[in-house]
Amino acid sequence: MTTTDVYGHGVPAEDDFGYVQAIRSGELIHVSGQLALDEAGAFRHPDDFVAQLELTYANFDRILDHYGATRSQIVSQVLYVVGLQRHAQAMAKGNRAYFGDHRPVSTAVGITDLTFPGQVVEISAIVDTTLPR
């Protein structure tokens, strides 16, 4: 039987938009698009790609910690980036810094805008908890 567990950061947007940050279904964890929200749910670092990327990955770590998972169990990610060509090198550097030697499947999509003014990155992912931690 498949078990389901949902996780939220407890920020107002979860109720406002009707979503959770992550849902575990069986051995997979599906992570909603993470972005540069602080623990109170305020958007941070408008137009600063590097700072947004760092806070976005920190929010991933909060989710992974909840489930007892690690970065090495992330099997895929999708990055939505405003100004993809402009931020490509910083994206690659931040991705390597976050994952180290681990290499998940990754797709980067250039888009025109995101939810908040000055938001330049959002990342969703899938985690496989059967992989070594």
Side-chain angles (χ1 to χ4, degrees), residues 20-92:
V20 294
Q21 299 297 331
I23 186 168
R24 181 178 184 154
S25 180
E27 302 303 325
L28 296 178
I29 302 165
H30 300 268
V31 181
S32 291
Q34 297 299 294
L35 54 139
L37 294 179
D38 64 18
E39 291 191 13
F43 175 69
R44 304 309 240 180
H45 313 297
D47 299 313
D48 184 336
F49 182 84
V50 172
Q52 284 186 39
L53 188 64
E54 289 173 358
L55 183 51
T56 297
Y57 279 136
N59 287 331
F60 266 99
D61 287 340
R62 292 172 58 200
I63 293 168
L64 294 171
D65 287 346
H66 169 79
Y67 289 105
T70 67
R71 298 171 184 184
S72 63
Q73 293 172 305
I74 296 174
V75 293
S76 74
Q77 68 173 348
V78 178
L79 299 93
Y80 303 92
V81 180
V82 176
L84 179 60
Q85 292 177 354
R86 182 172 66 253
H87 298 300
Q89 288 184 343
M91 180 181 64

Side-chain angles (χ1 to χ4, degrees), residues 119-131:
Q119 182 184 353
V120 291
V121 64
E122 185 164 328
I123 307 171
S124 63
I126 298 173
V127 181
D128 183 345
T129 60
T130 66
L131 295 176

